[in-house]
Amino acid sequence: MKSFYVKTFGCQMNENDSERIVAVLRRQGMTPALSADVADVVVFNTCTIRENADNRFFGQVNMLRERRVREPGMRIVVAGCLAQGEKDAIFDRAPHVDVVVGTHAIGSIADLLERSDEERHVIDVSTGDGSIDPMVDLVPEPAEGHKAWVTIQTGCDNNCAFCIVPQVRGPEVSRPFGAIVDEVRRLAEQGISEVTLLGQNVNSYGRDLTKRLRRTSDGIHDHGFLAGPVYVSDGIRRIRPLFSDLLRAVSGVDGIRRVRFTSPHPKDMREETFAAMAESPAVCESLHFPLQSGSDRVLAAMHRGYRGERFFEKLELARSIIPDLAVTTDIIVGFPGETEDEFEATLELVARCEFDSAFTFIYSPRPGTEAGAWTDKFVDPEVIRDRFERLKLVTERSGAAKHRARVGKIEEILIDGPSKRDANVASGRTRQNKLVHLAGVDGERLRGSYLNARIVDAGAHFLHGELLGPPARGAHASC
Ligand code: SAH
Ligand code: SF4
Ligand code: F3S
């Protein structure tokens, strides 16, 4: 019996794809290994969003070179976004890799592995057959017993000038409404109580479904399954299902207590989504709202489709509709041509937005993207470093204030298990997705439980809480 190890780089969507890869390999009778050093098949599920993601992968795959040469029966598979975009570079820089499989073809990994017994350098970066549900028959195996990712949409139809994702993930394809709700139901039956809906632009969910419904000639006449009108809670038969319909349907599934989603795009975010968040008790008070820059010129050059002030208005609207909302964001520093004044506009807007936390990135040119070709406008790395540190001060200041504001509150915590550092401390998440440590609590035994705790202290990246006892059955609010 062969063993496998899957190493994942990149975003939650890749994590979810890795769970599908695990399911495919298990179906072949393979078993998980404890590490890449002992596995018969090592799968790298790669990311190429920034250059350092590529470099981390090449560093790790090259550490297996000697072992691969020594053990002819061993196999190395490279999947994911880098595989889709740079298949030739992978074999050039890591010739000991056996199989390269793109983002649309993970279902064929088992066949490709079989072919690798006869052929060197097996490749499948085909882009799918446009079937109704690109994920059909690839049911992921959630890594944890109490929460799961659910991909609702693959690809991206936007053209942010810095971003490689549309190239490596293809055009936006929404999964059928009914398939998503069924998947969440199945997960709930297995004991999963928290789901995170995944897509590159979740609030454009459904845009493509009606078109596909018209094109469909393969006997799918169940409009509810494909486009979801039967699930629309307000009784209006829409031409297409909206993300807000999906939020309401998923949060209504028996056994689901928490629903999260990532990422929405600010340009497409509408009031109806905020309303669905506020009106669905299971949808958590947590929003990832990626700003990227506070300068209108830079936002336009990025093709983001909104201005800074419009972003701020939508953020205020969200906060007015959803009480106690936590907001996180993404910001890029040093986009080609970014001037000192433009960077200061980012600092100002970020300070006004008072985010709970921010993922800040140094611009990384990606081959084949629009901005990647603007070499004459690249900003000096020293200047970028300095800006990056200044931005961090501003984001950390609001993050710390938001954390301090939780002290004294009673929060519902979903326990994830023992803390990584101390087995006598349990770790979990509040509805706002803040990490909480509970000293003297058995995280192993209580994994997956919902408990109420008083927040007693706040650090930069986590909170400390004291247990109050189990919450009332069905209680969702964090008081
Ligand atoms: N679809 C998601 C983004 C996925 S990529 C969205 O629109 O929010 C996650 C983040 O990586 C982006 O929000 C952006 O801040 C950052 N990013 C993407 N390409 C980058 C690049 N070339 N250099 C630096 N950061 C980048
Ligand atoms: Fe990339 Fe923009 Fe699509 Fe997000 S919305 S994946 S940043 S192109
Ligand atoms: Fe990376 Fe692909 Fe996600 S490039 S961020 S793994 S969509």
Side-chain angles (χ1 to χ4, degrees):
M1 201 188 289
K2 288 201 166 163
S3 66
F4 66 87
Y5 186 83
V6 181
K7 167 87 195 152
T8 312
F9 300 82
C11 64
Q12 297 95 327
M13 199 161 284
N14 248 20
E15 305 233 3
N16 193 217
D17 283 348
S18 287
E19 293 172 352
R20 285 174 219 286
I21 294 172
V22 167
V24 169
L25 297 177
R26 273 190 193 273
R27 224 186 290 162
Q28 297 303 303
M30 296 172 71
T31 52
L34 284 177
S35 76
D37 296 331
V38 293
D40 299 312
V41 175
V42 179
V43 181
F44 290 92
N45 195 12
T46 58
C47 171
T48 185
I49 196 83
R50 286 169 289 275
E51 195 185 352
N52 56 9
D54 295 7
N55 293 341
R56 269 206 311 275
F57 155 70
F58 280 113
Q60 294 202 16
V61 77
N62 281 328
M63 287 201 293
L64 289 179
R65 188 188 292 248
E66 260 182 44
R67 200 184 139 217
R68 176 65 189 84
V69 173
R70 226 178 31 241
E71 296 178 25
M74 183 208 174
R75 290 289 176 272
I76 299 176
V77 178
V78 182
C81 295
L82 181 68
Q84 186 70 44
E86 297 280 347
K87 59 180 181 357
D88 298 326
I90 290 172
F91 287 131
D92 286 350
R93 288 176 65 181
H96 57 299
V97 165
D98 297 285
V99 175
V100 165
V101 54
T103 49
H104 300 266
I106 53 183
S108 58
I109 285 186
D111 294 341
L112 300 173
L113 273 171
E114 207 175 299
R115 270 174 51 197
S116 74
D117 289 339
E118 311 293 326
E119 281 171 56
R120 196 160 168 259
H121 291 174
V122 181
I123 303 181
D124 185 353
V125 289
S126 58
T127 50
D129 59 0
S131 64
I132 294 295
D133 186 351
M135 308 216 160
V136 76
D137 209 24
L138 282 174
V139 181
E141 290 206 0
E144 292 179 283
H146 57 286
K147 46 191 197 185
W149 313 111
V150 177
T151 297
I152 65 165
Q153 168 198 62
T154 57
C156 180
D157 279 350
N158 292 312
N159 60 337
C160 302
F162 51 81
C163 185
I164 190 87
V165 170
Q167 276 181 53
V168 292
R169 289 271 175 179
E172 213 165 274
V173 179
S174 300
R175 292 185 63 206
F177 195 96
I180 296 167
V181 179
D182 282 352
E183 185 168 324
V184 173
R185 265 199 211 113
R186 238 183 358 256
L187 289 165
E189 281 162 14
Q190 290 166 23
I192 299 282
S193 64
E194 175 180 309
V195 289
T196 302
L197 309 180
L198 298 179
Q200 296 299 345
N201 183 4
V202 288
N203 37 356
S204 66
Y205 171 78
R207 202 157 43 183
D208 52 315
L209 282 175
T210 327
K211 264 188 270 159
R212 273 200 287 157
L213 194 60
R214 285 200 204 102
R215 277 206 316 261
T216 303
S217 57
D218 59 1
I220 294 197
H221 298 299
D222 179 353
H223 288 215
F225 184 77
L226 191 64
V230 291
Y231 296 97
V232 174
S233 51
D234 59 10
I236 300 166
R237 284 180 77 85
R238 298 194 217 287
I239 206 86
R240 58 167 269 213
L242 299 173
F243 179 59
S244 53
D245 299 328
L246 190 63
L247 270 185
R248 290 178 201 271
V250 165
S251 71
V253 169
D254 251 6
I256 295 298
R257 289 183 60 158
R258 287 186 174 185
V259 177
R260 304 185 185 282
F261 59 90
T262 194
S263 293
H265 193 303
K267 83 174 157 56
D268 297 319
M269 195 51 146
R270 294 209 300 253
E271 189 168 340
E272 84 232 353
T273 301
F274 298 144
M277 290 176 74
E279 289 160 21
S280 310
V283 180
C284 290
E285 296 74 32
S286 166
L287 175 69
H288 186 62
F289 211 41
L291 170 64
Q292 312 300 357
S293 167
S295 148
D296 289 344
R297 193 207 59 84
V298 173
L299 285 169
M302 287 175 164
H303 311 309
R304 287 293 289 177
Y306 52 84
R307 291 182 305 119
E309 208 47 43
R310 187 79 188 107
F311 177 95
F312 187 71
E313 283 164 15
K314 289 198 185 189
L315 178 62
E316 292 287 272
L317 181 67
R319 285 179 166 148
S320 71
I321 295 177
I322 308 154
D324 209 23
L325 182 70
V327 185
T328 58
T329 198
D330 292 344
I331 302 158
I332 296 178
V333 180
F335 183 76
E338 181 190 72
T339 64
E340 175 60 22
D341 284 353
E342 288 166 348
F343 172 68
E344 281 175 16
T346 298
L347 286 183
E348 263 171 48
L349 185 55
V350 169
R352 276 172 71 207
C353 289
E354 298 182 350
F355 294 111
D356 286 72
S357 79
F359 300 92
T360 49
F361 305 107
I362 287 180
Y363 170 73
S364 172
R366 303 283 63 208
T369 59
E370 189 182 345
W374 299 343
T375 47
D376 55 328
K377 294 191 184 143
F378 284 180
V379 181
D380 179 345
E382 288 265 308
V383 172
I384 297 185
R385 256 286 127 223
D386 172 65
R387 289 181 188 167
F388 187 78
E389 294 304 323
R390 285 155 65 201
L391 175 63
K392 223 164 81 184
L393 291 178
V394 179
T395 58
E396 284 178 354
R397 190 170 55 209
S398 65
K402 296 279 178 182
H403 265 194
R404 275 196 308 275
R406 305 317 291 176
V407 174
K409 288 193 188 301
I410 294 167
E411 306 247 14
E412 181 199 72
I413 321 279
L414 169 55
I415 305 289
D416 285 326
S419 109
K420 288 194 186 103
R421 295 220 178 121
D422 185 348
N424 296 316
V425 175
S427 296
R429 295 271 167 181
T430 66
R431 285 177 59 86
Q432 285 193 330
N433 212 17
K434 295 196 189 297
L435 177 63
V436 181
H437 294 311
L438 301 161
V441 174
D442 185 345
E444 198 56 61
R445 191 172 64 81
L446 293 170
R447 197 193 297 275
S449 320
Y450 289 82
L451 301 171
N452 277 344
R454 186 185 304 283
I455 305 303
V456 291
D457 196 11
H461 302 291
F462 53 82
L463 305 169
H464 284 290
E466 276 174 6
L467 215 55
L468 294 181
R473 261 183 79 75
H476 292 303
S478 56
C479 322

